């Protein structure tokens, strides 16, 4: 099982324009896992890695390909281990010789050979060419790349010459990273703008994990400088397809949910076919009722084929039509209508998937065929409830009301058909997500999730959808990220072209602090589905977490360009310019474009409030703050909104207004904690309120307990964010020394990046950092060269 993303990186033709920027990995076949890990980590940062996984040994064409790649690569990485020691013969030894021969043609100061030892083999004892011993070695235990190693390779490829440090006397056995240090690059970092609200990361799913896409589903500005060079357009695979939303042809227009359900199931079936690349529903949704030509859609989605379809439901009968079109020529490959009872919809979906596979000359394995021919339920009403619940999930609506509505619909489905395994799996997901979101009654949610997933496994233990549900259950219910990762890695092997799997892997890997692997998985998801905003947001979040702000800024710009009507995305870009360059013009321009209706809408008020605070216009900020609701539309208390209001009044020193803004929220939180004392979210909110209301000892006690309930060791995303919140609130409690110590330590920790709101340009206007604004130690921290320096 791979430790990183389970996908095979191809070996491009070295004659391409990017060939000389590639890294060649040479290894014994027993070290294939280590090579995969290194390739994935490099790929996560836009570095092409060449290595062969075909296990071929011989053949003139294959041999010529390898020789050509060694001749054209920029860096040659021999992977040295006990396995290479044990093999006196092997093709890798010929690769080593060819690389050494090429190095003899190079100037002395050109770095080319970069040996990597993955176990205890020493330089003195290693059976390697003598030239390998004349350069510094890197030690990567088990082939697990370190950030320093990735950075070293990147610098070499950029032409930054490394400076040799003294070689360790005994081969550097204790070293965990490279023994070469590269000169720092002269690059000015960009910022990714205002990062959410005070407890955005602590809310777990609100800011990152389920911001736009939950784990299962789902133009740069002038100051944004992409870190990685933009990739050339990949050739369109003959086995790639986009399935456009199915038209609802039923007389009853309320049956639109049913047509969408059929569409989703066809996509799921196609994703099971190993050789097909299927564009996700999120990306094709924009083409619902489109008038764009098929050729244009194919170009935009990067696919060879388009499937259009319709669904007509009348009573107990259903007709599904489909037509497969070759995008480049607008040629119809086939068209077919499928008729049957409502209970036949799964057979119809299977027939469509298999017809597409046949048209694209795609082989279907016996295992895949068995999966395609599943019949999850024979109960039409249960299927209706199931599809309606899943539709809510697809909308990525994270409100309490929507979560409870999903639970009710899936419960209805399993009452109607107790043998409906997929509905039990979705029910487990919904309950587990409610637990993860800290809904009231969360402990009962977890018990219900456990019962539902166990029932689903009893009914269909080998169904990939149930396995996916199981992974989600471990993620949301127990934060057992390692176990969930194992499950999703198996799914990646089964569905290597399914972007949802790699997006999920990326989410899981970053929770474990495996940031290079997470970025590699997120990149893979965006490669497979480049129009998916959720995947782009998740990749952007990863880049922000490790302070790859140039790339994050470019991604934010791309997202804003793809969503010109989403004002919050435009504001993100404007705030980048303010935070990085103290340039207010983009924000002023954006607000100046708002219509009067937009300005007075809830979204417009929120944008104006953000900007007033960004510019230090506290009178306007307070005026707009009073227009913000204390409760969500469904009556859910908006603790975060109220907490920010309390912070604003605390900065102004208006204690009476502060107390009024806090209202009875602290009392509500105390009542909730009586029944859920281990709810870290409630504990954190209460601690913040208490400190700002003057109850400093109680507030720090609650914040400390919240951090203990969610330590970094169990969650590398929310844990550091929780610590950052506590650090700033320590300053509000009067412990500036402790706050400075904490923030100094946190600046080198991924995902402790609520501090990105505070830069040397905006310190005097910051709300959360107000007690530290005049502290010279904090000013020095913000001005230090490594404050915004990428961690990897």
């Amino acid at each position: 099982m791979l430790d990183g993303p389970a996908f095979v990186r191809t070996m491009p033709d070295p004659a391409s324009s990017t060939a000389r920027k590639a890294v060649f990995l040479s290894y014994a076949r027993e070290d294939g896992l280590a090579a995969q890990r290194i390739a994935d980590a490099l790929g996560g940062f836009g570095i092409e890695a060449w290595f062969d996984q075909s296990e071929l040994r011989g053949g003139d064409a294959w041999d010529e390909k390898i020789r050509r790649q060694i001749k054209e690569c920029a860096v040659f990485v021999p992977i040295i281990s006990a396995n290479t020691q044990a093999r006196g013969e092997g093709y890798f030894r010929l690769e080593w010789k060819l690389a050494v021969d090429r190095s003899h043609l190079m100037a002395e100061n050109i770095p080319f050979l970069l040996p990597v030892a993955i176990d205890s083999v020493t330089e003195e004892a290693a059976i390697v060419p003598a030239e390998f011993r004349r350069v510094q070695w890197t030690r990567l235990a088990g082939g697990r790349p370190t950030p320093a190693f990735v950075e070293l390779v990147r610098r070499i490829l950029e032409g930054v010459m490394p400076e040799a440090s003294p070689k360790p006397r005994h081969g550097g056995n204790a070293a965990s990273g490279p023994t070469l240090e590269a000169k720092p690059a002269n690059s000015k970092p960009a910022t990714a703008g205002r990062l959410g609200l005070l407890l955005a990361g602590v809310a777990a799913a609100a800011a990152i994990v389920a911001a736009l896409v939950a784990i299962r589903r789902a133009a740069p500005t002038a100051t944004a400088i992409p870190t990685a060079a933009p990739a050339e357009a990949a050739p369109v695979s003959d086995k790639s397809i986009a399935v456009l939303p199915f038209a609802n042809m039923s007389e009853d227009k309320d049956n639109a949910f049913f047509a969408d359900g059929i569409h989703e199931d066809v996509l799921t079936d196609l994703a099971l076919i190993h050789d097909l690349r299927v564009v996700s529903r999120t990306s094709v949704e924009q083409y619902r009722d489109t008038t764009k030509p098929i050729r244009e859609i194919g170009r935009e989605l990067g696919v060879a084929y388009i499937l259009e379809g319709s669904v007509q439901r009348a009573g107990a009968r259903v007709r599904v039509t489909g037509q497969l079109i070759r995008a480049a020529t607008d040629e119809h490959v086939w068209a077919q209508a499928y008729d049957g009872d409502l209970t036949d919809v799964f057979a119809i979906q299977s027939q469509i998937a298999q017809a597409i596979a046949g048209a694209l000359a795609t082989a279907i394995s016996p295992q895949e065929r068995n999966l395609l021919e599943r019949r999850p339920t024979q109960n039409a009403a249960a299927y209706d409830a199931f599809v309606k619940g899943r539709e809510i999930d697809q909308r990525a609506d994270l409100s309490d009301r929507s979560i409870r509505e999903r639970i009710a619909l899936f419960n209805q489905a399993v009452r109607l058909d107790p043998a409906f395994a997929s509905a039990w799996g979705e029910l487990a997901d919904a309950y587990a997500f409610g637990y993860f979101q800290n809904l009231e009654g969360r402990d009962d949610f977890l018990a219900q999730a456990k019962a539902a997933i166990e029932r689903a496994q009893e009914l269909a233990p080998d169904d990939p959808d149930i396995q996916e549900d199981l992974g989600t259950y471990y993620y949301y219910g127990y934060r057992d990220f390692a176990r969930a990762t194992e499950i999703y890695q198996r799914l990646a092997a089964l569905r290597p072209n399914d972007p949802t799997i790699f997006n999920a892997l990326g989410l899981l890997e970053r929770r474990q602090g495996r940031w290079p692997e997470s970025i590699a998985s997120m990149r893979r998801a965006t490669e497979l589905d480049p129009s998916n905003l959720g995947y782009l947001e998740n990749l952007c979040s990863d880049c922000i977490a490790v302070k790859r702000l140039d790339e994050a800024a470019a991604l934010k710009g791309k997202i804003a360009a793809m969503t010109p009507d989403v004002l919050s995305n435009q504001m993100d870009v404007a705030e980048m310019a303010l935070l990085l360059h103290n340039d207010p013009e983009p924000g002023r321009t954006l607000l100046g474009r708002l219509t009067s209706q937009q300005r007075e809408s809830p979204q417009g008020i929120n944008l104006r409030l953000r900007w007033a605070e960004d510019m230090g216009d506290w009178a306007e900020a307070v005026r707009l703050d009073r227009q913000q609701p204390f409760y969500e539309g469904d009556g859910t208390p908006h603790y975060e909104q109220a907490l920010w209001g309390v912070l604003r009044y605390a900065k102004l020193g208006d204690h009476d207004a502060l107390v009024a803004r806090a209202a009875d929220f602290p009392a509500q939180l105390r009542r909730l904690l009586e029944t859920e004392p281990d709810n870290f979210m409630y504990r954190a909110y209460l601690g913040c309120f208490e400190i700002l209301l003057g109850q400093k000892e109680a507030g720090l006690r609650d914040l400390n307990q919240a951090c203990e309930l969610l330590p970094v060791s169990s969650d590398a995303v929310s844990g550091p964010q929780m610590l950052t919140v506590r650090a700033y609130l320590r300053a509000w409690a009067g412990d500036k020394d402790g706050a400075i110590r904490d923030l100094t330590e946190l600046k080198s920790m991924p995902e402790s990046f609520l501090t990105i709101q505070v830069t040397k340009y905006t310190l005097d206007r910051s709300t959360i950092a107000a007690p530290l604004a005049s502290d010279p130690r904090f000013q020095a921290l913000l001005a230090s060269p490594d404050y915004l320096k990428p961690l990897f």
Side-chain angles (χ1 to χ4, degrees):
M1 186 60 60
L2 296 180
D3 189 41
F7 65 91
V8 176
R9 194 171 301 282
T10 58
M11 301 174 71
D13 185 348
S16 69
S17 61
T18 60
R20 289 190 177 275
K21 291 296 184 182
V23 175
F24 188 102
L25 302 178
S26 177
Y27 63 101
R29 63 174 175 268
E30 295 87 350
D31 295 325
L33 177 56
Q36 179 77 66
R37 288 170 175 159
I38 294 171
D40 288 343
L42 295 174
F45 290 88
I47 300 172
E48 187 69 28
W50 294 345
F51 70 111
D52 184 70
Q53 290 191 326
S54 65
E55 292 299 325
L56 294 174
R57 290 296 180 267
D60 291 341
W62 180 82
D63 182 80
E64 177 58 26
K65 181 180 181 181
I66 296 296
R67 290 173 182 269
R68 194 168 68 246
Q69 288 172 338
I70 294 173
K71 181 179 178 182
E72 297 291 337
C73 69
V75 177
F76 183 90
V77 177
I79 298 175
I80 301 160
S81 68
N83 293 318
T84 60
Q85 291 289 90
R87 293 181 60 184
E89 293 185 3
Y91 196 89
F92 67 88
R93 294 200 178 277
L94 174 60
E95 294 172 348
W96 292 1
K97 180 180 183 300
L98 293 171
V100 168
D101 289 346
R102 182 182 168 200
S103 72
H104 291 161
L105 302 174
M106 296 178 173
E108 289 292 332
N109 65 338
I110 295 179
F112 175 62
L113 300 174
L114 189 60
V116 170
I118 62 173
D119 52 29
S120 59
V121 174
T122 64
E123 291 184 47
E124 290 84 355
I127 305 172
V128 297
E131 285 79 3
F132 286 11
R133 296 193 182 92
R134 298 192 182 110
V135 296
Q136 290 285 356
W137 284 29
T138 294
R139 294 200 167 269
L140 303 176
R144 292 179 173 83
T146 63
F149 171 73
V150 176
E151 179 66 11
L152 170 63
V153 174
R154 187 178 69 83
R155 296 289 178 82
I156 291 174
L157 293 177
E158 289 179 351
V160 179
M161 302 301 293
E163 295 177 341
S165 57
K167 291 184 66 172
R169 296 188 62 178
H170 299 289
N173 293 341
S176 61
T179 53
L180 290 178
E181 295 180 355
K183 296 178 181 178
N186 294 320
S187 59
K188 177 181 280 191
T191 180
R194 180 190 181 98
L195 296 186
L197 300 177
L198 179 61
L199 290 172
V202 180
I208 294 181
V209 178
L212 292 175
V213 178
I215 184 172
R216 295 193 61 243
R217 310 296 185 194
T221 63
T223 60
I225 307 169
T227 299
E232 295 180 359
V236 175
S237 168
D238 288 338
K239 300 186 189 305
S240 56
I241 185 170
V243 182
L244 301 187
F246 284 6
N248 175 32
M249 304 301 292
S250 307
E251 290 186 9
D252 184 354
K253 297 309 176 185
D254 289 339
N255 278 324
F257 80 91
F258 185 77
D260 289 341
I262 299 287
H263 176 240
E264 174 69 16
D265 286 336
V266 169
L267 285 171
T268 301
D269 283 349
L270 289 173
L272 292 169
I273 301 175
H274 193 275
D275 290 338
L276 283 184
R277 182 176 78 82
V278 186
V279 175
S280 76
R281 175 178 174 173
T282 306
S283 286
V284 298
E285 185 63 31
Q286 62 183 303
Y287 299 102
R288 183 182 294 273
D289 302 323
T290 185
T291 58
K292 281 188 177 182
I294 288 294
R295 287 188 179 92
E296 186 175 349
I297 296 173
R299 282 195 303 271
E300 291 176 355
L301 295 176
V303 295
Y305 293 90
I306 301 289
L307 179 71
E308 293 183 317
S310 65
V311 178
Q312 185 175 11
R313 178 176 175 175
R317 298 288 292 175
V318 62
R319 164 171 285 192
V320 181
T321 61
Q323 54 181 344
L324 186 66
I325 307 167
R326 184 172 286 109
T329 61
D330 207 359
E331 170 191 359
H332 285 59
V333 179
W334 62 254
Q336 182 69 45
Y338 302 86
D339 295 295
D341 293 332
L342 288 178
T343 55
D344 295 330
V345 292
F346 301 109
I348 292 172
Q349 294 159 8
S350 173
Q351 292 171 35
I352 292 174
Q354 294 188 55
I356 290 171
L360 274 59
T362 301
I364 301 179
S365 70
Q367 179 189 20
E368 291 167 350
R369 193 175 300 278
N370 288 337
L371 291 172
L372 290 173
E373 293 175 353
R374 292 169 299 171
R375 300 292 181 270
T377 184
Q378 296 295 320
N379 188 307
Y383 181 68
D384 277 1
F386 172 80
V387 169
K388 289 176 180 177
R390 194 175 57 184
E391 195 69 18
I392 297 172
D393 189 20
Q394 290 290 347
R395 294 201 303 266
D397 185 344
L398 306 180
S399 69
D400 291 8
R401 179 172 54 189
S402 292
I403 296 171
R404 295 181 189 278
E405 188 178 351
R406 283 180 62 206
I407 289 172
L409 286 165
F410 293 134
N411 264 315
Q412 180 183 350
V414 298
R415 281 197 301 271
L416 291 167
D417 182 0
F420 194 171
S422 295
W424 283 109
E426 291 281 4
L427 180 60
D429 282 1
Y431 273 127
F433 189 61
Y435 175 83
F436 192 78
Q437 286 285 77
N438 291 283
L439 264 63
E440 188 173 354
R442 68 195 292 265
D443 291 341
D444 182 60
F445 277 24
L446 187 57
Q448 295 286 358
K450 182 176 185 296
I453 196 64
E454 288 176 350
R455 179 61 175 150
Q457 288 184 285
E458 288 174 6
L459 292 167
D462 299 324
D463 189 318
D465 287 346
I466 303 305
Q467 289 299 305
E468 199 170 346
D469 294 329
L470 181 63
T472 305
Y473 166 74
Y474 283 124
Y475 182 108
Y476 288 140
Y478 294 95
R479 295 179 182 269
D480 190 342
F481 307 128
R483 190 175 230 176
T485 299
E486 292 178 4
I487 293 170
Y488 272 94
Q489 284 175 333
R490 289 196 294 271
L491 289 169
L494 181 66
R495 287 147 56 178
N497 294 314
D498 186 346
T500 65
I501 299 301
F502 291 100
N503 178 65
L505 273 174
L507 296 173
L508 287 162
E509 287 159 342
R510 70 183 178 194
R511 291 278 172 179
Q512 299 168 79
R514 294 163 52 189
W515 295 100
E517 293 99 326
S518 177
I519 290 179
S521 294
M522 295 298 189
R523 283 196 194 284
R524 179 60 173 161
T526 58
E527 288 167 2
L528 290 168
D529 194 0
S531 300
N532 192 303
L533 290 170
Y535 301 162
L536 290 170
E537 287 280 4
N538 284 333
L539 176 58
C540 183
S541 296
D542 266 19
C543 292
I544 290 169
V546 300
K547 304 186 186 181
R548 292 178 63 85
L549 300 180
D550 293 347
E551 186 171 356
L555 287 165
K556 281 292 187 183
K558 180 177 182 180
I559 291 166
M562 292 169 64
T563 56
D565 297 328
V566 180
L567 298 177
S568 59
N569 289 341
Q570 312 304 315
M571 179 59 79
D572 286 344
V573 175
E575 287 185 323
M576 290 178 201
L578 180 68
L579 291 171
L580 177 62
H581 298 295
N582 200 25
D583 180 5
E585 288 309 312
R588 290 171 179 167
T589 301
L590 172 63
L591 294 181
R593 292 203 312 264
L594 298 182
T595 65
S596 58
Q597 183 177 4
Q598 287 175 323
R599 288 178 59 83
E600 299 306 321
S601 69
Q603 183 185 27
I605 291 172
N606 181 261
L607 292 180
R608 291 159 59 203
L609 172 59
R610 282 172 59 178
W611 190 250
E613 189 171 31
D614 289 339
M615 298 304 296
D617 186 349
W618 298 107
E620 177 70 358
V622 167
R623 187 185 71 80
L624 292 168
D625 175 73
R626 293 191 178 115
Q627 300 181 44
Q628 297 295 296
F630 286 178
Y631 293 87
E632 301 282 10
D634 60 1
T636 304
H638 201 321
Y639 297 116
E640 193 168 18
Q641 192 75 42
L643 184 54
W644 270 104
V646 169
L647 267 170
R648 293 181 186 106
Y649 290 115
K651 178 180 173 68
L652 292 173
D654 190 338
H655 185 73
D656 291 341
L658 183 157
V659 172
R661 187 59 160 118
D664 64 342
F665 287 118
Q668 291 180 27
L669 289 165
R670 291 189 184 96
R671 286 195 296 271
L672 290 169
L673 285 167
E674 289 177 2
T675 56
E676 299 180 37
D678 293 336
N679 190 315
F680 67 86
M681 193 68 206
Y682 293 158
R683 187 72 62 184
Y685 277 131
L686 178 59
C688 292
F689 277 118
E690 287 172 331
I691 288 173
L692 295 171
L693 287 166
Q695 303 160 29
K696 299 177 182 179
E697 291 185 5
L700 286 174
R701 186 166 55 248
D702 281 323
L703 277 175
N704 286 335
Q705 188 172 348
C707 291
E708 291 169 2
L709 289 168
L710 191 70
V712 175
S713 59
S714 66
D715 190 329
V717 175
S718 296
Q721 292 177 334
M722 184 74 77
L723 291 176
T724 307
V725 171
R726 186 184 66 178
Y728 277 119
L729 267 294
R730 286 183 77 170
W732 281 98
D735 184 10
K736 294 183 181 180
D737 293 343
I740 294 294
R741 285 196 304 271
D742 288 350
L743 291 170
T744 301
E745 181 178 353
L746 283 164
K747 74 175 183 179
S748 61
M749 185 182 297
E751 203 48 68
S752 61
F753 224 35
L754 286 175
T755 50
I756 192 64
Q757 299 181 55
V758 187
T759 70
K760 60 184 179 181
Y761 294 125
T762 62
L763 176 57
D764 62 330
R765 304 190 290 266
S766 172
T767 304
I768 191 171
L772 298 171
S774 60
D775 192 307
R777 297 169 298 175
F778 190 61
Q779 294 172 352
L781 176 65
L782 298 186
S784 62
D786 58 346
Y787 177 65
L788 298 181
K789 181 181 178 182
L791 298 177
F792 298 146

